[in-house]
Amino acid sequence: MGRICIDLFTTLDGVAQAPGGPDEDPGNNFAFGGWQAPLLDEAVGDQISAGMEGMDALLLGRRTYDIFAAYWPHQDGGIAKLFNRLPRYVASHQAPTLEWAGSTLLGADVIGAVRDLRDRHESIHVIGSLNFVQTLFAERLFDRLTLWVYPILLGRGKKVFADGVVPTNLRLIEPVISSPRGAVLQRYELAEGTPGVGEMPADGQNA
């Protein structure tokens, strides 16, 4: 069975709206579109590329699909060639025309369709797509979660963990990596069960 991997860029206070540019998602008068750009460095670029190894499908929400479709077909380079070659699956409440060749609209049963994709692909990546990601979180329908956390606070904007999150255990699968400009890469996998509770010992030490 294939893996569904969610890849997100986020600020320290959890804002993941429009990291790539001012026009990416200006909804709700968001004034910080492109907040990621000043913090990019070679280390981030190398790790982003490394994280795409083995990717054999893209799974996107409608807004992210529109952003990608307007940009990547007109670009060159490694990431552009990969994105233009891969099959792309789009989750939407509507029935848009998908003009980017190789794109497929998922049906009304999005959850069922996503589960079926696991039988067809080995490494399915969800990039951005914050509204759709909340659905995946709610259904625990993901296998890996990669977060690039940047050392800024924005205070407002769409959050990584919003209305869709349910109590979930995750497991860190590799040592945390930091970049010269302070971005921190954290890669997790979905773990069984839900978070436990307990009572701290009086001396604050583990029993």
Side-chain angles (χ1 to χ4, degrees), residues 15-180:
V15 175
Q17 183 172 350
D23 299 324
E24 183 177 324
D25 182 2
N28 298 319
N29 297 315
F30 186 66
F32 290 97
W35 54 263
Q36 182 189 20
L39 298 168
L40 285 175
D41 54 35
E42 186 174 350
V44 171
D46 289 346
Q47 287 297 322
I48 289 174
S49 296
M52 293 181 181
E53 293 181 4
M55 180 191 303
D56 64 351
L58 279 171
L59 175 58
L60 306 171
R62 168 67 187 281
R63 176 178 287 277
T64 299
Y65 167 82
D66 286 344
I67 294 167
F68 277 28
Y71 180 78
W72 288 113
H74 313 291
Q75 305 302 312
D76 199 2
I79 293 178
K81 290 177 181 178
L82 175 65
F83 284 2
N84 285 314
R85 173 176 57 81
L86 291 178
R88 294 167 298 278
Y89 301 94
V90 182
S92 176
H93 295 297
Q94 301 174 343
T97 299
L98 306 181
E99 298 182 353
W100 191 6
S103 302
T104 300
L105 184 67
L106 299 181
D109 180 12
V110 170
I111 299 305
V114 170
R115 290 196 172 103
D116 289 342
L117 290 179
R118 280 173 157 167
D119 296 326
R120 300 167 58 184
H121 299 283
E122 292 296 321
S123 184
I124 307 155
H125 282 245
V126 183
I127 301 175
S129 308
L130 285 177
N131 291 336
F132 176 50
V133 162
Q134 302 312 307
T135 300
L136 299 179
F137 284 155
E139 297 290 332
R140 293 170 54 93
L141 189 51
F142 67 99
D143 301 283
R144 292 196 173 178
L145 173 63
T146 297
L147 297 176
W148 271 107
V149 183
Y150 289 80
I152 56 174
L153 305 173
L154 295 181
R156 60 175 299 182
K158 296 177 182 177
K159 299 293 185 73
V160 171
F161 304 111
D163 296 336
V165 174
V166 297
T168 302
N169 285 330
L170 301 174
R171 180 183 299 109
L172 191 67
I173 59 176
E174 64 182 41
V176 171
I177 298 172
S178 61
S179 78

Side-chain angles (χ1 to χ4, degrees), residues 186-203:
Q186 304 168 26
R187 285 197 173 105
Y188 299 93
E189 66 181 5
L190 185 66
E192 294 183 358
T194 56
V197 298
E199 186 171 317
M200 291 292 291
D203 61 4

